Amino acid sequence: MRIHLLLLVLALPFAISAQDGVKREFYPSGQLQRVYWSAGDRTRFISYHENGKVNDKGSFKSELPDGRWTRYAEDGTRISRVKYDEGQRTGLWTIRTMDGLTHQLRYRGNTLVHGEQFDPNGTLVAEHDNR
């Protein structure tokens, strides 16, 4: 199992390189900054912090944000997970702030319908409802 996983990890850069429309951008230091590639009707991307860890990843459809987008801190901790439907905010958005608070926002048709704020221990400290 470990061998299969290692082979998959090693083969992934070659699989991405073989796709049409792959574009890479680099920091002045030469470190990889961003990779874009076509996948059907979408353009997908992964961007990296200068330390090599993933910064964010997501996709565009017709030049609009579409699908799941995820952002990470420089240490690899996930900061946000959001969803777009052809540029419109939709579904549950989870965002963590530098002060340790977590915000859960529910969107429908690009409109905020419900929001909750949690302290670092997970206790609900604020709530807002637009239903």
Side-chain angles (χ1 to χ4, degrees), residues 66-122:
D66 193 66
R68 180 73 58 199
W69 284 50
T70 309
R71 175 161 285 176
Y72 301 89
E74 287 189 46
D75 67 1
T77 305
R78 187 173 72 198
I79 324 176
S80 67
R81 188 167 186 184
V82 303
K83 186 175 180 188
Y84 293 96
D85 183 7
E86 297 185 6
Q88 303 284 309
R89 292 179 219 137
T90 188
L92 181 65
W93 285 39
T94 303
I95 301 166
R96 291 178 182 85
T97 57
M98 300 281 287
D99 56 4
L101 298 176
T102 299
H103 304 268
Q104 291 189 338
L105 310 170
R106 178 149 317 267
Y107 287 92
R108 188 176 311 126
N110 209 37
T111 301
L112 178 64
V113 293
H114 188 81
E116 297 175 328
Q117 180 179 348
F118 299 88
D119 70 14
N121 297 319

Side-chain angles (χ1 to χ4, degrees), residues 8 13 17 22 29 43:
L8 179 63
S17 295
V22 173
S29 66
T43 300

Side-chain angles (χ1 to χ4, degrees), residues 50-63:
E50 281 197 80
N51 67 9
K53 293 191 183 241
V54 172
N55 180 28
D56 56 0
K57 54 187 174 179
S59 62
F60 294 93
K61 182 177 179 182
S62 302
E63 298 185 17

